[in-house]
Amino acid sequence: MFALKIAIGPFFKVKKLRNPKLHSTFEQGRSSTTRLRTPVSTPSTFERVVKEVEASKIAVVDFIMRVFFNCVFVIAWRYIVQMAYALVGPGNDASVALLSTFHNVVQNAPTIDGVIDKLLENKLITSGRSVFVHLPPSLEDRLSFVHALQKAGFTNIEGISPISLNVTSTLMGVHLSMGDGKEVFVLRTDDSCFKIDVILRCDNRWKIVEEGLEFNQVKVRYPLVRDLVVSRRFRTKSAVHEAFLETVSGNINVHFSHNDYPDMAKLYVLNQTNGTPMNAFLSSDPLPLILSSFKASEVLPYCGIVLTVKFGEESRPLSLTHRVPPFTLTDSFDIGTAKTVEIHGNLYKANKPAILLKTFTFEGDVHRTVVLTVDVDKTLLPQIKLTTVDTDVVAKEAENRRVEKEEKQREAASLANLFDKLKSLSQRKIAVIEDGNHVCLYSGTKMEVVIDEADSPNLAVAALLEVAPPESVACVYVTGFKDDLFSNRESTVKELQAAGYTNIESVEELRMDLFSNVSNLTLNCAIGEPVFVGSPFHFPLDEFRVTVLLKRDKGYQVVNTDLDLPIAISHYPSVRNVVISKETPDSERAEIVKLLPGRKLHNYRDIDFNYSEDFLQKRINEDAFNGNDILPFCYCDVVIGFGDNSKVIHLADKTLPFTTEKEVDVGDASEVTVTATSRVGRIYRRLKTLKFKNKALRKVYVTVHVDKLLLPKVTIRTASTYKPPQLESDSPPKTVLTSTPANCASTDLTSSSSKRLPQPEAKITVTAKDGTVEESATATDKSASRDAADVTDRLGTNLQKELLELNLDPPPTTILTFTSDNRVLIEADETYTGDTEVLAYVRLQSGKVPKVGRQAFDALKKHPCSVFYDIPRLLATDFDPDRPDPSWGFKTTRDADGKVLVHGGDGITTFPIVLFGSVVMGTLKYIKQHLKSEV
């Protein structure tokens, strides 16, 4: 109102306004007229009014301009203030950036709360604005800092990883011209232990792959990397640092950075906010140039946290270091009947114990499967959620049945229209029943839903019968039943057979998945050649699984499923083709290429909702498969149980239809049960039980027949009864060890550059009691005996006499066969209950007992220099130690006597016969634990 009065006031007071100058002139004119009596022209009243109005207009325009510029200034100031950012850390320091210029708020505050109080007192920062946190070195302090900021009302919080800043600082000023997927070593400048971080070029930036490794470790794990980046300040620290650089520079390119900018955290904030101080452009400040170098050397955010999931007596690790935040990671865990799940966390390779992050509790003794969801946002801290996806709660099942029953009438009404529509179909038809309640009918290129979510297989088959009688249906495929083993499939098949459908085939969903993966690829495989098909889910590489296919005349046979990639490679080293998802991240793809050098990678599309369309459509149209079909298989095993023992018959690697029979010594067990189990080992179904009236020692025949219905039919019959064997002191049971090409992936145990004749089969018999043995008269065995004796003299290793002598009679009851793909095959009598094969890997450490088998194999990835394998090749008479396998983590030479020496880490030196003896003794120990008779 005040402004309005000022603007329009002159118009209401125009008659009262006088111009002093005009008035003075007028009065002077009057007086001069009077004196001189000469006429003078005076301004009229109208002219005076016009001049007053013009002056008033100027005043109004001036006022409006002042108001306008004041408003612009207020709006601009508010916008500038909105661009203010706070930087907290390192330590209890805080500063505010306005117009990309930093102003200190507090330094060395006593507590975190003191830092936050100072921030809130600052006029430029409110709880809604951005806060960058230079994260502390411990996980507990990081959580405390971020939670305190969130409690104070700050919502836009972004964490700054110290290791990302350190690596970026070292990279600045170094020109590394390399494309995506290339790896580089970065030497830490603030560590006297010479720790090295491994980074990967990714989208014109850098991703941290591993941190805090020793130089010897990175050279073994990343043998192809040839670049090391070091800060120039590292060289001048001490003579020790200079000597270290001279050591590594012999086989690697060393690059020195020249970055001396102290405030890397502030550079990070300016880079994230696209800001540059205004005075940097008005002076000689080199900051714009430094920011440009920062962008070229920027390291992506890094979480660096490893979680541990604990339930019952078990604990499972879950690493968050492989992905770039923000990201979401999910994993499922079968926790059994555990009532508590604890999530612990720690920084990768931290010296402090892990801290408890979250605890979840359950009520009732119920078997559960839970899904853990971890969200890592820009705070670089995990947000953890746990949901239950699978329980045995009877009340929940009853509620589901009640709801389904209420919907039955509505479904029946909608089915009437579908039945009328599908009755007119007269072409060749194929029906698909999924999970016993969802029915589809395929005709040509059309697909019609017959019924969805039927209450039972009986109603589903009745709906199919209404629209497609048996004579009009060429085949009925029964699919689904992920959480069931045979029961629903069996009831569905029986309903179809009762309705008159004769051509029925059950299909495992895995078969359709694999068909979708490989049917459109050109692999050019020879008959019997293996192919790896990777899992479609994008886990870290240590959780990557493969299915192994073997090429046959009419397609591919599934021989193994859910194998770890390293185990699959050790069992099938001749694989040439690997099929993975086209959505596999570049970092994981690079790791797969590194593990499978020389193999060809093929991409398949991720399976979508209609993944079964290709599989079914080709069968409807009777198209040619061109040898790319997936042959039918039964995705389960049969377990024969008797007393406390059991035997397993594997079915997944057999081509349907088949009949297999196994003779089993059940001893004096009162009953024999045959149970089917899924390959994941979580679902069971008892198939047959045979009880005996009289107690006796007996053997039984178990026969399993599987046809295209995938419903194993089992028969059990008594083969014979027998009396307890009388042990004779002069003929104890024996054990034979062989090294033979049988069951081996390749018979050539020498280096790839040489050809040799097959070696004679070497057998060693070990007695159980007196330890007396005789030596075979073969040259190979005599040489081995001399090597063993020499090892005993040199290393003080007291090998058993069983390895130094041979006795080939009487016939053995336990046979060990060494294969060229690092396995030991075990053939034992009926009392043996262990595995039929073990891994032939040995780990040697100074002052420690050798580790054999699975323990040694598991250590191969992290400690390749201490794990030894390919023992048959090392024992070959024509093995050339100067031409070892490049993938070995150990080295081979000859001593002064021309004998082969094997060198590992920590100064370990041994002979191949010692490695052979370690595997033999470890295997014998394992057999004794699972064998009722003596070895």
Side-chain angles (χ1 to χ4, degrees), residues 165-284:
L165 285 186
N166 291 338
V167 175
T168 302
S169 176
T170 306
L171 290 175
M172 287 178 63
V174 178
H175 299 286
L176 298 172
S177 56
M178 54 183 60
D180 287 351
K182 297 296 184 180
E183 292 158 333
V184 173
F185 298 152
V186 178
L187 185 62
R188 293 187 178 178
T189 59
D190 56 350
D191 200 326
S192 60
C193 298
F194 308 136
K195 298 295 184 180
I196 292 179
D197 303 320
V198 183
I199 59 175
L200 177 75
R201 191 67 171 169
C202 180
D203 295 332
N204 294 324
R205 291 185 289 180
W206 296 96
K207 173 187 175 183
I208 296 176
V209 179
E210 281 193 88
E211 58 167 306
L213 299 178
E214 302 288 346
F215 182 73
N216 292 336
Q217 290 178 310
V218 296
K219 286 302 296 178
V220 172
R221 297 190 194 181
Y222 306 92
L224 301 180
V225 178
R226 291 290 180 268
D227 294 285
L228 172 68
V229 180
V230 185
S231 172
R232 66 176 180 180
R233 292 174 299 188
F234 182 88
R235 173 186 285 181
T236 59
K237 278 193 172 183
S238 68
V240 177
H241 295 73
E242 185 71 24
F244 175 78
L245 292 179
E246 291 180 0
T247 301
V248 303
S249 60
N251 53 9
I252 202 166
N253 301 321
V254 180
H255 306 269
F256 291 98
S257 68
H258 302 279
N259 175 37
D260 292 320
Y261 198 82
D263 297 325
M264 290 299 298
K266 294 181 180 179
L267 279 181
Y268 179 89
V269 174
L270 293 177
N271 182 63
Q272 293 298 103
T273 58
N274 295 318
T276 302
M278 295 181 66
N279 60 1
F281 298 102
L282 304 176
S283 65
S284 58

Side-chain angles (χ1 to χ4, degrees), residues 505-676:
E505 183 177 350
S506 297
V507 181
E508 297 281 4
E509 286 200 0
L510 179 60
R511 183 185 175 194
M512 291 189 286
D513 294 349
L514 294 171
F515 182 85
S516 177
N517 295 155
V518 305
S519 60
N520 296 321
L521 300 177
T522 304
L523 301 179
N524 297 323
C525 294
I527 301 300
E529 182 178 346
V531 175
F532 290 171
V533 180
S535 57
F537 308 107
H538 310 137
F539 297 116
L541 191 61
D542 54 354
E543 300 177 24
F544 188 75
R545 302 289 187 270
V546 298
T547 297
V548 182
L549 310 178
L550 286 185
K551 185 69 176 72
R552 302 303 184 197
D553 287 332
K554 296 183 179 180
Y556 292 91
Q557 176 189 355
V558 177
V559 295
N560 223 322
T561 58
D562 200 38
L563 283 183
D564 290 334
L565 186 56
I567 296 178
I569 296 170
S570 66
H571 286 189
Y572 305 92
S574 62
V575 67
R576 294 188 304 114
N577 295 283
V578 181
V579 184
I580 63 175
S581 169
K582 71 175 183 179
E583 302 297 332
T584 302
D586 292 340
S587 57
E588 293 184 18
R589 188 181 296 270
E591 290 292 331
I592 294 174
V593 171
K594 195 178 301 179
L595 285 174
L596 297 167
R599 276 75 169 192
K600 185 174 182 181
L601 293 185
H602 305 268
N603 294 326
Y604 66 79
R605 68 179 187 274
D606 273 1
I607 297 171
D608 55 19
F609 180 76
N610 297 318
Y611 68 93
S612 61
E613 290 290 333
D614 293 343
F615 180 88
L616 297 171
Q617 203 64 50
K618 281 186 173 291
R619 284 155 177 78
I620 295 169
N621 300 331
E622 299 182 331
D623 293 342
F625 294 96
N626 299 321
N628 282 349
D629 194 12
I630 301 296
L631 302 179
F633 63 95
C634 185
Y635 193 50
C636 72
D637 295 326
V638 168
V639 180
I640 306 167
F642 49 94
D644 295 331
N645 301 315
S646 62
K647 297 284 185 179
V648 179
I649 302 178
H650 299 289
L651 305 182
D653 57 351
K654 295 176 173 58
T655 303
L656 274 62
F658 65 85
T659 299
T660 182
E661 187 175 76
K662 187 178 185 67
E663 184 184 44
V664 182
D665 187 348
V666 299
D668 60 352
S670 60
E671 70 175 19
V672 177
T673 60
V674 179
T675 304

Side-chain angles (χ1 to χ4, degrees), residues 801-826:
K801 291 182 179 180
E802 292 90 334
L803 299 178
L804 305 178
E805 302 173 353
L806 292 171
N807 183 11
L808 298 181
D809 58 326
T813 59
T814 301
I815 300 176
L816 307 182
T817 303
F818 279 69
T819 70
S820 63
D821 58 352
N822 301 307
R823 292 178 295 150
V824 180
L825 308 182
I826 302 173

Side-chain angles (χ1 to χ4, degrees), residues 604-806:
Y604 66 79
R605 68 179 187 274
D606 273 1
I607 297 171
D608 55 19
F609 180 76
N610 297 318
Y611 68 93
S612 61
E613 290 290 333
D614 293 343
F615 180 88
L616 297 171
Q617 203 64 50
K618 281 186 173 291
R619 284 155 177 78
I620 295 169
N621 300 331
E622 299 182 331
D623 293 342
F625 294 96
N626 299 321
N628 282 349
D629 194 12
I630 301 296
L631 302 179
F633 63 95
C634 185
Y635 193 50
C636 72
D637 295 326
V638 168
V639 180
I640 306 167
F642 49 94
D644 295 331
N645 301 315
S646 62
K647 297 284 185 179
V648 179
I649 302 178
H650 299 289
L651 305 182
D653 57 351
K654 295 176 173 58
T655 303
L656 274 62
F658 65 85
T659 299
T660 182
E661 187 175 76
K662 187 178 185 67
E663 184 184 44
V664 182
D665 187 348
V666 299
D668 60 352
S670 60
E671 70 175 19
V672 177
T673 60
V674 179
T675 304
T677 175
S678 64
R679 293 304 296 268
V680 295
R682 297 180 181 175
I683 308 173
Y684 303 88
R685 168 91 187 281
R686 180 169 292 190
L687 301 178
K688 199 87 170 181
T689 301
L690 176 62
K691 297 184 178 181
F692 305 106
K693 295 181 179 179
N694 301 322
K695 188 172 183 179
L697 296 173
R698 55 174 60 84
K699 298 180 180 180
V700 299
Y701 285 120
V702 178
T703 305
V704 182
H705 175 74
V706 182
D707 57 17
K708 62 183 181 180
L709 296 178
L710 301 185
L711 298 172
K713 299 176 182 177
V714 178
T715 58
I716 311 174
R717 57 188 176 90
T718 300
S720 61
T721 59
Y722 62 92
K723 296 181 179 180
Q726 299 296 325
L727 297 177
E728 298 179 6
S729 59
D730 58 343
S731 60
K734 309 271 192 306
T735 300
V736 168
L737 287 78
T738 72
S739 178
T740 172
N743 299 324
C744 295
S746 171
T747 59
D748 184 6
L749 305 183
T750 65
S751 61
S752 58
S753 61
S754 61
K755 299 290 183 181
R756 61 183 179 84
L757 296 175
Q759 297 298 314
E761 183 178 290
K763 298 186 177 181
I764 298 177
T765 303
V766 181
T767 63
K769 298 180 179 178
D770 58 4
T772 59
V773 228
E774 297 178 359
E775 182 173 346
S776 172
T778 64
T780 302
D781 296 335
K782 291 179 179 179
S783 174
S785 178
R786 288 195 300 270
D787 282 350
D790 186 58
V791 170
T792 303
D793 293 339
R794 289 170 178 258
L795 305 179
T797 304
N798 185 19
L799 291 178
Q800 298 289 335
K801 291 182 179 180
E802 292 90 334
L803 299 178
L804 305 178
E805 302 173 353
L806 292 171

